[in-house]
Amino acid sequence: MEKRLLGRSGLRVSRMALGTMTWGGDTDAEEAASQLVAFVDAGGTLVDTADIYGEGESERVLGSLLGDLVPREDVVLATKAVARRTEGPFGGGASRGALLSALDGSLKRLGTDHIDLWQLHAWDECVPLAETLSALEYAVTSGKVRYVGVSNYAGWQLATAATGAPAAAPLVSTQVEYSLLERGVDREVVPAATHHGIGLLPWAPLGRGVLTGKYRTGTPADSRGANSAYAGYVEHHRTDRAARIVQAVATAADGLGTSPLAVALAWVRDRPGVVAPVVGARDTGQLTGSLAAEDITLPPAIRSALDDVSAIEVGYPERWPR
């Protein structure tokens, strides 16, 4: 798998990341092990989790697999903090105390002495940004964290944090929802990230599963859309606009002799500023389908057609002057 630098840092990662949101829940330890081995065998290095996934079970499962199954040094280990884990005073948020408490918890669950990429899961308007950034600086200078990033930040939030970040702990990444069905970040987040040298890590690059085409004629019984816990998550992208985009992706896939999944993933992977889409999978078979996208490069004509069918309105002040 091709490797890319993460933002303006020297951290080199695979151009696809393995997401582990369902590990310890819908994905048991045995299946997680199979996915991790398949990913690393394909040349993947960046594995993403969060302290809130499965109430910490995702980190525990991942940590149990590092060392014996896959060497720790073969993985770029990424996790997140900020989301509320407990009701205690340090159980969530972006205060210095909460972040450093979360960091210690993640290190323990992951069974490691350092995290390669530690990300703020969300903006916290209740905490002074300087306090949050000081916690990131301590995490890096203490050796517990190697690089830091953010997730789900608006454009102005990303630019503000990047500008205020200390030299010892510059932001190198931002993780945002980005796909042919969700291009809102093209307005301000992508330009801000490009300007500040911050790499994009798209989550839900397959439009929450809709871009695979599985929902074109209904809702498969074994899909997330049929699961009451995830139905709303999927329905968000089941619109008339989405149907037109999915049809275009399917047409492109037919012409290239590949899957809609591979086309959708290749499109977002090669967007300006993108370093590595974060791909989660119910099982190893699904992950293998995503890994197949590594061999796909979209011809300019197809990329242009997909750009056009998925285009969003961008006006003042993002596009000025006209």
Side-chain angles (χ1 to χ4, degrees):
M1 191 180 299
E2 183 181 314
K3 307 299 188 293
R4 292 172 172 173
L5 291 174
L6 188 57
R8 285 195 194 128
S9 77
L11 179 60
R12 194 175 297 276
V13 301
S14 53
R15 66 174 183 173
M16 184 186 300
L18 177 61
T20 66
M21 186 175 69
T22 62
W23 287 20
D26 292 343
T27 303
D28 62 25
E30 182 177 355
E31 177 56 40
S34 177
Q35 289 185 23
L36 183 60
V37 169
F39 181 69
V40 172
D41 284 350
T45 60
L46 181 56
V47 182
D48 180 73
T49 185
D51 61 357
I52 196 65
Y53 293 168
E55 299 182 347
E57 283 304 307
S58 174
E59 288 184 328
R60 289 190 186 92
V61 170
L62 177 55
S64 72
L65 301 177
L66 297 177
D68 293 335
L69 187 67
V70 172
R72 169 66 179 88
E73 59 270 22
D74 289 352
V75 169
V76 177
L77 186 57
T79 192
K80 312 178 197 74
V82 172
R84 181 149 293 279
R85 307 174 313 282
T86 70
E87 293 305 315
F90 304 116
S95 70
R96 181 181 177 88
L99 285 175
L100 296 183
S101 176
L103 176 58
D104 288 342
S106 288
L107 289 169
K108 182 178 181 179
R109 287 187 292 273
L110 289 165
T112 185
D113 63 355
H114 73 278
I115 289 164
D116 298 306
L117 177 63
W118 194 40
Q119 304 154 99
L120 301 177
H121 214 154
W123 177 270
D124 188 344
E125 63 182 11
C126 297
V127 178
L129 179 61
E131 179 180 342
T132 298
L133 295 176
S134 75
L136 297 187
E137 182 177 29
Y138 171 79
V140 172
T141 57
S142 68
K144 294 181 178 181
V145 166
R146 300 294 192 255
Y147 298 89
V148 293
V150 297
S151 180
N152 302 310
Y153 272 36
W156 72 267
Q157 295 168 341
L158 179 63
T160 302
T163 301
L171 300 185
V172 303
S173 67
T174 182
Q175 194 170 144
V176 290
E177 183 172 6
Y178 194 16
S179 72
L180 279 161
L181 300 186
E182 181 51 83
R183 295 186 57 184
V185 295
D186 280 330
R187 294 187 178 96
E188 294 190 350
V189 174
V190 173
T194 301
H195 180 77
H196 290 284
I198 295 171
L200 292 162
L201 300 174
W203 60 265
L206 299 176
R208 310 187 184 192
V210 175
L211 285 166
T212 64
K214 70 172 70 174
Y215 298 106
R216 292 175 70 190
T217 59
T219 303
D222 62 347
S223 68
R224 281 186 174 183
N227 185 322
S228 59
Y230 293 105
Y233 176 81
V234 174
E235 285 296 324
H236 177 75
H237 285 319
R238 296 182 73 176
T239 63
D240 290 342
R241 173 181 176 271
R244 293 191 295 271
I245 295 170
V246 171
Q247 180 58 52
V249 170
T251 299
D254 288 343
L256 295 173
T258 188
S259 67
L261 181 157
V263 170
L265 195 53
W267 179 87
V268 72
R269 181 198 66 205
D270 295 330
R271 290 289 293 172
V274 168
V275 176
V278 181
V279 176
R282 184 177 64 249
D283 53 44
T284 306
Q286 283 190 339
L287 178 60
T288 300
S290 295
L291 293 172
E294 178 67 15
D295 299 325
I296 301 296
T297 299
L298 298 181
I302 289 180
R303 175 166 290 280
S304 179
L306 293 176
D307 289 349
D308 290 344
V309 73
S310 65
I312 58 171
E313 183 177 351
V314 178
Y316 177 84
E318 295 91 358
R319 185 173 293 161
W320 177 261
R322 291 194 169 194

